Amino acid sequence: MMFAPGNNPAMLQNAGIYGADSIIFDLEDAVSIPEKDAARHLVASALKHFKYPCEVGVRINHISTPWGRDDLECVLASKPDFIRLPKGETADEIKLIDEIISEAEEKHGFAAGSIQMMTAVESPKGLRNAYEMATASPRMMALAIGGEDFVTSLKTTKTKGGRELFTARSMLVFAAREAGVDVIDSVFSDIRDEETFIEEVKLIKELGFDGKSVVNPRQINLVYQVYTPTDKEIEYAQKVLAAYREALERKSGVISLNGKMIDAPMITRAERVLAYAAAVGAYRKEEAL
């Protein structure tokens, strides 16, 4: 997910050319208070007039701030694909925004439920309530972690290895998996430090995150490099699924590959590898063995 400042007309126009899976137009941290009114109208206009090759969401200001409701009223009329709530802490916040979106969908003639939601957890309270937030509305598609605010709330600082966020990241993955929604990691703001960025992407992939937020187009391909399965991984996944299909045809409950037993979790992981590969164009279903 690539953030683009909502007060930057050039980024609003060109955000779709960099190859991100998702774009988030930011009305919160990237926009100063004097610019918030103009920014939300810029974003609404961009959503109406530009066609983007990927899903597009809007990070609103928190619903408790003087700008949150105005953000929603303005941008919902242009039908973003999703709304991202920052600093989520309770299920009641999610339910309130769900109600506002439902009213807007009816008012503007949009299909009910067509605008999704996600929230970023940026405090211990939000982390404790992550599962309840993720299940508070059928619109919820993902949880995210806001690393900078979370670390600040812990009264510590960010380190290169990310030790201070390890527990929070793991707990957020648990909550998302239990709720059945995606989970997205925080941004890495030092765009010059590609080595540490790549190490962080490797870490969050190993923890189970579905993707990472980025603040600069240069970081997009680095995320793809880490998340794209290798040829060896794709080949092995194909063989696992081919063995599974063969066992089904033989109506056999025993599945083996090169003398090793294949069980249900291995089949699930193989399917996930091919799904990732297909998402980045490294595999097509017709290539199945």
Side-chain angles (χ1 to χ4, degrees):
M1 289 185 166
M2 185 185 77
F3 279 95
N7 60 346
N8 185 328
M11 280 299 293
L12 294 177
Q13 182 174 359
N14 298 321
I17 68 176
Y18 300 108
D21 294 325
S22 300
I23 302 166
I24 300 178
F25 293 143
D26 188 18
L27 297 176
E28 197 212 16
D29 288 346
V31 179
S32 65
I33 291 175
E35 293 183 292
K36 287 192 181 294
D37 286 344
R40 72 170 67 94
H41 287 286
L42 273 176
V43 168
S45 178
L47 289 169
K48 279 185 179 176
H49 294 102
F50 298 133
K51 288 195 176 297
Y52 300 95
C54 59
E55 63 180 0
V56 181
V58 179
R59 180 166 76 169
I60 61 170
N61 291 278
H62 194 275
I63 195 65
S64 65
T65 69
W67 314 285
R69 284 181 178 271
D70 289 341
D71 289 344
L72 285 170
E73 182 178 353
C74 185
V75 302
L76 286 174
S78 297
K79 198 178 185 301
D81 293 309
F82 64 93
I83 293 294
R84 174 163 167 156
L85 175 70
K87 301 177 178 61
E89 290 198 323
T90 70
D92 286 342
E93 296 167 348
I94 303 300
K95 292 175 182 176
L96 173 58
I97 296 173
D98 177 277
E99 291 175 3
I100 295 172
I101 295 175
S102 294
E103 292 171 1
E105 286 175 338
E106 182 175 357
K107 177 181 177 181
H108 299 291
F110 304 148
S114 57
I115 299 175
Q116 296 184 291
M117 295 172 59
M118 64 180 294
T119 190
V121 167
E122 304 181 43
S123 68
K125 182 178 180 181
L127 183 61
R128 177 162 49 83
N129 293 325
Y131 172 78
E132 283 71 22
M133 289 193 289
T135 55
S137 164
R139 299 181 190 278
M140 286 293 291
M141 65 177 201
L143 295 170
I145 185 165
E148 293 290 349
D149 283 282
F150 200 97
V151 166
T152 301
S153 71
L154 296 180
K155 297 184 178 181
T156 183
T157 57
K158 289 193 75 174
T159 64
K160 277 199 168 185
R163 295 190 302 276
E164 68 286 347
L165 284 176
F166 187 85
T167 299
R169 281 173 163 149
S170 297
M171 290 178 66
L172 197 66
V173 172
F174 299 162
R177 294 294 172 249
E178 184 178 5
V181 300
D182 287 341
V183 56
I184 308 297
D185 192 49
S186 179
V187 300
F188 183 86
S189 56
D190 187 353
I191 61 174
R192 300 165 302 176
D193 188 357
E194 293 188 352
E195 181 179 350
T196 305
F197 176 77
I198 290 171
E199 289 304 310
E200 185 165 290
V201 178
K202 289 178 178 176
L203 171 65
I204 61 109
K205 181 188 176 189
E206 291 171 356
L207 290 175
F209 278 80
D210 296 292
K212 187 166 182 63
S213 300
V214 301
V215 292
N216 189 284
R218 288 165 51 184
Q219 297 175 321
I220 294 171
N221 282 336
L222 300 178
V223 176
Y224 281 147
Q225 288 173 22
V226 174
Y227 268 86
T228 300
T230 65
D231 291 343
K232 186 177 180 180
E233 290 171 330
I234 294 172
E235 181 182 1
Y236 182 72
Q238 288 179 296
K239 289 180 178 178
V240 167
L241 295 180
Y244 173 57
R245 288 193 296 271
E246 182 183 348
L248 288 179
E249 291 172 359
R250 290 188 286 106
K251 298 181 179 178
S252 172
V254 179
I255 310 172
S256 65
L257 177 64
N258 299 329
K260 295 182 180 178
M261 299 300 294
I262 302 296
D263 54 16
M266 296 175 69
I267 294 168
T268 299
R269 290 198 293 271
E271 291 173 336
R272 188 179 304 135
V273 166
L274 296 188
Y276 274 128
V280 296
Y283 170 76
R284 292 178 300 179
K285 193 172 183 179
E286 53 267 31
E287 296 173 356
L289 297 177

